[in-house]
Amino acid sequence: MKNLLPVLLILLPFRLCAYIQPYTEYTDNHFYITTGEVDFNLDVRDVGAVLLDYNGYSRWAFLGMQGVDKESEGLIAYFTDVRYSASEDLFYVIFDLNLIWPFGKKGSEIAFKPIPQFDSAGKLVTLTLVPVLGNKMVHNANMLFLLRETATGSALRYESRIRLAPILDFFFSLRSYKKNFEWYVFKLAENLTFYLNNL
């Protein structure tokens, strides 16, 4: 249970041009699926380079999500750091759960495996983030980013798929899922946009 919220928050999922608002649905086979797209006025290689700079995620990914400003006060989770281990090829996301005792906890971490795929020219086409799940509360989860060229630059489409354990799924609803987690999607988009604008 302690690793469930960060999985949900991170796997949901960026505007130099335009956002397509995330859309979340709950399927008959019990998946929460969130999709969206962001257009950039940047070359696809430039966006791909930032996504593949795993050590650089700590500079932009979770800014404003640490619970130290008014925008992030009261969030369910505060993301305090993200580190990439090249030797293990894993992201380690460090977070605090801002919940009442005994559910709250500081300094927790969860690992994610990045899986990139490239086209014949060496350009990034997809990046999938797969959590290394250490509990039985999430039965299936992954996040897919699809990068493509457009007439004005590039577009990044994302899709997260999360299937909760039946006991947890019983107490969750689409409305609560959207209310609690889509803010993080927009904040990540804002952070990436700001970072790309200031390269």
Side-chain angles (χ1 to χ4, degrees):
M1 179 70 175
K2 66 180 181 180
N3 288 335
L4 170 64
L5 289 174
V7 169
L8 297 177
L9 299 176
I10 296 166
L11 288 179
L12 284 175
F14 287 40
R15 167 185 176 211
L16 293 182
C17 183
Y19 293 91
I20 295 178
Q21 184 173 353
Y23 172 75
T24 302
E25 64 177 329
Y26 182 71
T27 68
D28 291 340
N29 58 345
H30 307 289
F31 275 90
Y32 286 96
I33 301 177
T34 300
T35 57
E37 187 170 294
V38 184
D39 294 332
F40 297 97
N41 294 322
L42 285 175
D43 185 83
V44 69
R45 288 186 184 272
D46 294 331
V47 178
V50 170
L51 292 174
L52 291 172
D53 180 16
Y54 299 154
N55 289 313
Y57 279 51
S58 61
R59 294 192 290 269
W60 61 266
F62 296 133
L63 294 177
M65 300 186 193
Q66 296 91 359
V68 296
D69 53 33
K70 288 189 177 181
E71 188 179 17
S72 62
E73 277 182 351
L75 292 176
I76 294 173
Y78 299 145
F79 295 102
T80 58
D81 197 10
V82 55
R83 296 191 297 266
Y84 175 69
S85 169
S87 61
E88 299 173 284
D89 192 25
L90 291 175
F91 284 106
Y92 287 94
V93 176
I94 315 303
F95 62 94
D96 298 338
L97 284 178
N98 182 32
L99 299 171
I100 61 172
W101 185 89
F103 304 107
K105 186 176 180 182
K106 292 184 178 294
S108 298
E109 72 175 31
I110 189 168
F112 288 83
K113 173 80 171 176
I115 304 172
Q117 290 188 332
F118 303 89
D119 67 12
S120 58
K123 292 184 288 189
L124 180 68
V125 177
T126 65
L127 177 62
T128 305
L129 299 177
V130 180
V132 180
L133 299 172
N135 64 64
K136 298 180 180 179
M137 300 308 290
V138 178
H139 280 187
N140 191 303
N142 65 54
M143 179 79 188
L144 171 69
F145 295 98
L146 175 63
L147 186 59
R148 62 182 173 83
E149 293 183 89
T150 66
T152 58
S154 55
L156 184 67
R157 180 170 177 80
Y158 55 87
E159 177 181 301
S160 69
R161 300 174 61 87
I162 298 173
R163 184 175 184 179
L164 304 175
I167 186 66
L168 186 62
D169 189 62
F170 179 79
F171 292 102
F172 234 84
S173 71
L174 179 60
R175 181 178 179 182
S176 62
Y177 187 95
K178 290 169 66 70
K179 179 180 178 182
N180 285 291
F181 302 118
E182 284 191 354
W183 181 86
Y184 291 90
V185 176
F186 284 107
K187 189 60 180 174
L188 282 169
E190 182 179 277
N191 288 346
L192 180 57
T193 298
F194 181 81
Y195 185 74
L196 287 168
N197 272 326
N198 290 279
L199 287 177

